[in-house]
C-alpha cells in the first residue's frame, strides 16, 4: 500500500471517524479535523514507509492522538478563560441524548475520556488502547470502569424517578451500561460545528 491512490482511499475511509474520535476528546470539531489532517499529512510525507505497515491507519490514529494531547495541554489557559465566558448555542442538529452525552464526556478526566472514545467509537480492544496510549491493560480497564461509572452518574437524572420506582429499580452496572456515541462528522473543516470546551478535572 504505497501508491497515491491507496493513500487517498485510506484518507477517504478513515478521516471522518478519526475526526469524530478526536472531537469527542477535545470538544472542538474544527480543531479535531485540523489535527487529523495534520496526521494524514505526516503519513503522506512518510508514505513509502507508513504505507508498508500492516495497518497504516493505526499509525495515523496514534499521531492524531499525540497531536490532540499536545494541543489539549497547550489549551489549558484558553479553557479556563472559556469557562468564564458564556457558552455558545448548541448545534440544532444534535439530538438531546447526544448533547447530554458530549456534555457528560467533557466532565470525565482526559485519560478516561480517551479510553471511552477509543473503545466505543473506534471499537478498539483493551489491548489496542493499551498499545496506543502506552498504558498497561489493567490501567486501561480501570479507566474504562471508572469512566463508565462516572458517565452513569452524570447521565442519571434522579428527579425523573419517583420514590417508588427508585426503590424498585436495580442499581445500574457501569460495566454493562449502553453508551451511544455519534460516530461520524461531516467532511473536513466544518466551520459551523465548533463546540464549547471545558478544563478537565485532574
Amino acid at each position: 500500500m504505497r501508491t497515491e491512490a491507496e493513500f487517498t482511499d485510506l484518507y477517504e475511509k478513515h478521516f471522518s471517524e478519526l475526526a469524530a474520535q478526536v472531537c469527542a476528546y477535545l470538544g472542538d470539531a474544527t480543531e479535531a479535523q485540523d489535527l487529523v489532517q495534520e496526521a494524514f499529512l505526516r503519513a503522506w510525507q512518510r508514505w513509502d514507509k507508513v504505507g508498508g505497515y500492516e495497518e497504516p491507519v493505526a499509525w495515523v490514529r496514534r499521531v492524531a492522538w499525540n497531536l490532540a494531547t499536545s494541543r489539549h495541554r497547550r489549551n489549558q489557559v484558553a479553557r479556563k478563560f472559556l469557562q468564564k465566558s458564556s457558552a455558545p448555542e448548541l448545534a440544532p442538529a444534535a439530538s438531546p441524548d447526544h448533547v447530554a452525552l458530549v456534555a457528560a464526556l467533557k466532565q470525565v478526566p482526559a485519560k478516561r475520556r480517551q479510553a471511552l472514545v477509543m473503545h466505543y467509537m473506534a471499537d478498539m480492544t483493551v489491548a489496542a488502547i493499551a498499545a496506543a496510549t502506552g498504558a498497561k491493560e489493567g490501567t486501561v480497564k480501570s479507566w474504562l470502569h471508572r469512566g463508565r461509572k462516572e458517565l452513569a452518574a452524570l447521565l442519571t437524572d434522579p428527579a425523573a424517578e419517583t420514590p417508588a420506582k427508585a426503590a424498585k429499580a436495580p442499581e445500574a452496572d457501569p460495566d454493562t451500561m449502553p453508551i451511544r456515541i455519534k460516530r461520524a462528522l461531516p467532511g473536513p473543516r466544518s466551520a459551523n460545528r465548533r463546540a464549547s470546551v471545558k478544563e478537565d478535572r485532574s
Side-chain angles (χ1 to χ4, degrees):
M1 183 184 277
R2 291 188 176 89
T3 67
E4 182 176 347
E6 288 167 328
F7 175 84
T8 300
D9 183 61
L10 183 77
Y11 179 86
E12 292 177 347
K13 284 183 177 179
H14 296 287
F15 178 88
S16 292
E17 67 181 66
L18 293 180
Q21 294 165 29
V22 176
C23 176
Y25 176 60
L26 293 177
D28 188 310
T30 301
E31 188 173 34
Q33 290 165 2
D34 287 343
L35 295 179
V36 173
Q37 285 180 337
E38 175 64 23
F40 272 105
L41 175 61
R42 295 187 184 188
W44 173 247
Q45 293 171 338
R46 301 164 177 79
W47 192 236
D48 285 345
K49 180 179 180 180
V50 175
Y53 292 159
E54 184 176 350
E55 292 188 50
V57 68
W59 188 94
V60 177
R61 181 188 296 113
R62 184 170 63 252
V63 171
W65 274 108
N66 289 342
L67 291 171
T69 299
S70 297
R71 183 70 60 87
H72 172 73
R73 291 170 180 168
R74 291 197 302 268
N75 283 350
Q76 290 303 305
V77 174
R79 291 177 190 275
K80 291 179 181 179
F81 172 79
L82 290 174
Q83 270 193 314
K84 299 175 183 178
S85 305
S86 58
E89 295 182 1
L90 296 172
S95 69
D97 287 345
H98 180 65
V99 171
L101 180 58
V102 171
L105 276 171
K106 290 177 183 177
Q107 298 181 63
V108 176
K111 290 186 180 297
R112 294 172 212 165
R113 181 166 73 246
Q114 180 178 1
L116 289 169
V117 171
M118 285 182 161
H119 188 63
Y120 289 102
M121 293 185 67
D123 293 326
M124 294 173 66
T125 63
V126 169
I129 296 172
T133 61
K136 295 181 180 179
E137 290 188 22
T139 300
V140 173
K141 290 178 181 179
S142 175
W143 288 344
L144 288 171
H145 175 76
R146 294 174 69 183
R148 284 189 292 254
K149 188 173 182 179
E150 289 170 331
L151 277 181
L154 290 166
L155 294 173
T156 298
D157 182 7
E161 295 183 341
T162 63
K165 290 183 179 179
K168 295 180 180 179
E171 183 178 355
D173 182 357
D175 286 328
T176 59
M177 183 188 70
I179 298 178
R180 298 181 178 88
I181 302 179
K182 192 172 183 181
R183 289 178 172 273
L185 293 174
R189 294 181 177 278
S190 296
N192 294 325
R193 290 185 62 89
R194 183 174 299 274
S196 63
V197 292
K198 295 184 179 180
E199 180 182 14
D200 290 312
R201 299 199 307 269
S202 57

